[in-house]
Amino acid sequence: MLMAPMNSLASTNSKMVMNRGAWTAEEDRKLAEYIEVHGAKRWKTVAMKAGLNRCGKSCRLRWLNYLRPNIKRGNISDEEEDLILRLHKLLGNRWSLIAGRLPGRTDNEIKNYWNSHLSKKINKKEKKPESSIPQESIPKKTCDTAAAAHEMMEEGRQGAAIPELSFDVNEFFDFSTEGSYGLEWVNKFLELDEDPWLTEKS
DNA sequence: AACATTTGCAACCGCGTGCTG
DNA sequence: ACAGCACGCGGTTGCAAATGT
């Protein structure tokens, strides 16, 4: 659903009247032109120098979620949806990490998609307990499956010691050194956790 | 046709973290 | 060591469009 930009709402803040609400095409153009020349950093400065009556935070969000090159919008494919489900199972609500595995997708889009589509799907499934995998079938404390990895991460987050091995999700999912944003490696990894619950299309 | 409700998504907010002086 | 700033993240809100009654 593409909403037409409405007139910017001015904040009632008495100190500095900042534009708020939906961005106009003119604002988008100014921001994109500025970033093309000066780069996307120091968002407060970007906001001022681009002649935008917006806070830096708002500019950053607009750029990352809408104006950035190579952004894919809408039409999340079955493959992408499946990947989101698997990664969410593995990582929980770590939208930026999940988005990092989906080229052209933003964390905001993934989060919205999850909240409006996938969480409902999952709720439906959970109301059908016979279709769920029995807990005892999930291996414990190994990296063999995504479920086990997720479990370990949850423990790790709560500060619990994992006796057999130490598992740091941030290290494990450090994409900074990875050149490619291809899906192959993660698909291979996730194939280890073939889960009929996830692969079953509704 | 008119109104009410739900849906989908852009944008905002608050918080945590890291960097810099 | 500390304060201030910038950035990034996840949760939440607001509102137009879509759908239902």
Side-chain angles (χ1 to χ4, degrees), chain A residues 2 23 26 31 50 64 84 99 107 116 149 157 161 165:
Chain A
L2 230 169
W23 280 64
E26 175 68 6
L31 181 60
L64 292 177
I84 293 167
D107 54 353
S116 54
R157 259 191 248 170
L165 73 161

Side-chain angles (χ1 to χ4, degrees), chain A residues 8-11 13 15-21 23-24 26-27 30-31 44 46-56 58-59:
Chain A
S8 320
L9 301 169
S11 136
N13 186 328
K15 285 181 198 167
M16 179 69 182
V17 183
M18 287 282 184
N19 283 349
R20 298 185 60 179
W23 280 64
T24 64
E26 175 68 6
E27 287 177 308
K30 282 182 180 175
L31 181 60
K44 204 173 172 181
V46 169
M48 286 191 296
K49 298 242 172 115
L52 293 161
N53 203 10
R54 296 262 181 185
C55 67
S58 179
C59 293

